[in-house]
């Protein structure tokens, strides 16, 4: 038996439709179109790795009915120049989301910058206030990638209550918030990372494996229990320019019950989760 393939792309139209209805309601109620402000960086040649990503965000915003403004800054912009800009965005009522594109230029004080964003407008759940609220299980804006993982599981009918969930990756942006979110969904959670010994001993016990390590083929078929669900968050570019995840997809699909594809699994839902949080006001 081969695994069911979990495709985020399959749910994009439905979620966009739901969000467009929500946007229309918000526009009617508040009398303005919600705006997502994105701060992004150009290099000296004038191009940017953010171009592709911002184009995808623009497309998602357009489908949903959110206004999106990209504020391109020079690579040598200082934190002191940036903070007043964020404060201005915080004060503008039609701006309902503020995002700062990673990677940030080295001179920018990352934490000071993120924490300058009004937590209600922090649509990628990056501020200490939102992370603290996640920890306390209080309402919070959450990291969009993590929301996309749960959206894919929920819409695919894979429940978390009482399940053994093994997360590979413990970064503050993906692995750690995923662990808390899975815990809040009544899963029994194990977090593995680069120092974990005998990774397979943990993963073989899992009903659900979620991997966000950034290592192609990290999860092999021998590491997966028959029938388990495997969610691949990894995005890696191979030497020949292919995008692959962290799972040995062709092997794992022979044993797993369900496995997400890269690209096309979690990724397509991430931008929509940003839009959902823009509309959540
Ligand atoms: P990171 O480098 O900050 O963290 C990687 C984590 O994986 C660390 O905790 C590390 O200990 C762990 N790890 C690395 N190698 C390991 C190994 N061999 N065994 C066990 N654990 C190991 O990366 P990140 O920012 O958390 O991103 C992780 C991956 O998810 C990357 O591929 C990234 O591109 C991808 N990502 C995807 C999305 C999306 O929307 N799908 C969004 C953000 C990040």
């Amino acid at each position: 038996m081969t695994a069911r393939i979990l495709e985020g792309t399959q749910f994009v139209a439905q979620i966009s439709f739901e969000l467009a209805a929500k946007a229309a309601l918000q526009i009617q109620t508040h009398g303005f179109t919600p705006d997502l402000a994105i701060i992004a960086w150009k290099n000296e040649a004038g191009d940017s790795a953010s171009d592709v990503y911002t184009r995808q965000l623009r497309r998602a915003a357009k489908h949903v009915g959110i206004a999106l403004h990209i504020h391109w800054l020079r690579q040598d912009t200082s934190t002191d120049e940036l903070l007043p800009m964020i404060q201005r965005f915080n004060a503008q009522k039609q701006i309902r989301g503020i995002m700062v594109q990673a990677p940030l230029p080295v001179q920018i004080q990352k934490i000071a910058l993120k924490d300058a964003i009004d937590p209600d407008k922090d649509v990628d759940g990056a501020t200490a206030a939102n992370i603290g609220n996640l920890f306390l299980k209080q309402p919070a804006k959450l990291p969009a990638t993590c929301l996309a993982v749960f959206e894919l599981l929920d819409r695919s009918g894979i429940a978390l209550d009482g399940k053994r969930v093994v997360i590979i990756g413990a970064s503050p942006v993906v692995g750690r918030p995923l662990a808390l979110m899975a815990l809040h969904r009544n899963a029994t959670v194990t977090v593995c990372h680069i120092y974990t010994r005998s990774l397979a001993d943990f993963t073989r016990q899992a009903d659900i494996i979620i991997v966000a390590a950034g290592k192609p083929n990290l999860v092999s078929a021998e590491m997966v229990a028959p029938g388990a669900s495997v969610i691949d968050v990894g995005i890696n570019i191979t030497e020949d320019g292919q995008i692959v995840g962290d799972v040995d997809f062709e092997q794992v699909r022979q044993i797993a019950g369900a496995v997400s594809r890269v690209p096309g699994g979690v990724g397509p839902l991430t931008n929509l989760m940003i839009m959902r949080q823009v509309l959540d006001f």
Side-chain angles (χ1 to χ4, degrees):
M1 198 185 84
T2 57
R4 179 157 64 110
I5 310 302
L6 306 179
E7 318 248 20
T9 41
Q10 178 191 344
F11 304 116
V12 166
Q14 176 63 27
I15 298 171
S16 302
F17 178 77
E18 291 164 14
L19 293 179
K22 174 90 189 269
L25 191 66
Q26 291 291 54
I27 293 166
Q28 198 180 36
T29 309
H30 298 279
F32 61 84
T33 301
D35 191 329
L36 171 59
I38 297 175
I39 295 170
W41 320 93
K42 284 262 188 222
N43 63 24
E44 271 166 23
D47 53 14
S48 163
S50 305
D51 275 352
V52 176
Y53 183 57
T54 48
R55 256 203 310 277
Q56 290 168 350
L57 275 172
R58 196 184 281 290
R59 203 177 312 130
K62 194 170 167 212
H63 277 138
V64 168
I66 288 172
L68 180 144
H69 290 101
I70 302 173
H71 305 266
W72 291 104
L73 301 182
R74 302 178 324 271
Q75 281 287 336
D76 64 354
T77 306
S78 68
T79 309
D80 286 347
E81 283 175 275
L82 249 175
L83 291 179
M85 190 173 187
I86 304 254
Q87 279 146 11
R88 225 175 36 248
F89 294 162
N90 285 343
Q92 286 174 24
K93 82 167 182 187
Q94 78 280 10
I95 294 185
R96 298 311 318 166
I98 304 169
M99 273 179 78
V100 183
Q101 271 311 126
L104 299 173
V106 284
Q107 75 280 6
I108 300 285
Q109 292 161 31
K110 214 167 157 180
I111 294 191
L113 177 67
K114 285 187 176 166
D115 282 333
I117 298 173
D118 176 347
D120 284 338
K121 300 186 178 187
D122 169 27
V123 286
D124 203 13
T127 57
N130 279 316
I131 293 165
N133 279 332
L134 166 61
F135 187 91
L136 296 169
K137 208 180 170 184
Q138 293 299 308
K141 296 278 199 276
L142 298 169
T145 302
C146 302
L147 285 172
V149 167
F150 292 100
E151 195 71 20
L152 185 61
L153 286 167
D154 290 344
R155 293 205 183 236
S156 305
I158 299 170
L160 283 118
D161 286 81
K163 297 279 180 67
R164 281 171 295 196
V165 173
V166 170
I167 294 168
I168 309 174
S171 77
V173 284
V174 191
R176 265 184 267 172
L178 268 178
L180 280 168
M181 290 164 74
L183 189 61
H184 296 339
R185 300 282 300 266
N186 303 325
T188 300
V189 181
T190 304
V191 182
C192 300
H193 46 78
I194 190 84
Y195 291 103
T196 301
R197 278 180 258 153
S198 309
L199 187 58
D201 289 349
F202 296 94
T203 56
R204 275 199 292 262
Q205 302 292 321
D207 300 304
I208 301 172
I209 299 169
I210 308 174
V211 56
K215 294 279 175 317
N217 295 326
L218 178 63
V219 177
S220 61
E222 302 72 55
M223 294 168 70
V224 178
S229 301
V230 181
I231 304 292
D232 192 349
V233 185
I235 302 175
N236 309 289
I237 317 269
T238 61
E239 275 175 16
D240 56 357
Q242 308 264 25
I243 297 176
V244 297
D246 292 350
V247 173
D248 183 345
F249 182 79
E250 288 307 328
Q251 294 300 317
V252 166
R253 69 185 293 190
Q254 306 301 324
I255 181 139
V259 57
S260 74
R261 210 186 264 290
V262 177
V266 173
L269 303 184
T270 304
N271 290 340
L272 289 171
M273 296 301 104
I274 298 272
M275 302 307 150
R276 175 177 291 172
Q277 297 203 105
V278 171
L279 295 171
D280 183 17
F281 64 96

